[in-house]
Amino acid sequence: MTHIRSETSVPDHVVWSLFNTLFMNPCCLGFIAFASSVKSRDRKMVGDLTGAQACASTTKCLNIWALTVGILVTTALTILSVIIFQAISQ
């Protein structure tokens, strides 16, 4: 069993990536972020902290983009559907 010290802990963002994969997955960014977070976790378990930090940084960037694009698309579709509904009801 591998024990990781708290001072060398690298966040792998697996939960955030899983959320983006399930709910905010525009252009498969959430899935790619999830794959990158699993890669980061694997490297952390092997002891490659530099590689784990690089993958964690990539994962964080992908998650930010997936969440931002997902929120923008959801907002745009909501506004568009309200406009269409108002046009139909008149």
Side-chain angles (χ1 to χ4, degrees):
M1 181 173 202
T2 305
H3 295 285
I4 300 172
R5 296 182 194 149
S6 61
E7 68 257 9
T8 60
S9 179
V10 178
D12 51 22
H13 308 291
V14 171
V15 176
W16 188 12
S17 299
L18 185 62
F19 173 81
N20 283 336
T21 300
L22 296 176
F23 300 109
M24 302 281 183
N25 199 16
C27 303
C28 294
L29 286 175
F31 180 72
I32 297 169
F34 184 70
S36 179
S37 65
V38 170
K39 187 176 181 181
S40 174
R41 179 173 280 187
D42 288 345
R43 288 188 178 196
K44 182 170 57 172
M45 290 310 228
V46 171
D48 180 15
L49 295 180
T50 305
Q53 287 173 342
C55 286
S57 176
T58 302
T59 302
K60 184 177 179 181
C61 182
L62 287 169
N63 278 323
I64 289 170
W65 275 106
L67 189 63
T68 304
V69 171
I71 288 172
L72 289 175
V73 167
T74 303
T75 304
L77 288 176
T78 302
I79 292 171
L80 185 65
S81 63
V82 167
I83 291 171
I84 290 173
F85 180 73
Q86 286 178 349
I88 290 174
S89 65
Q90 288 181 357

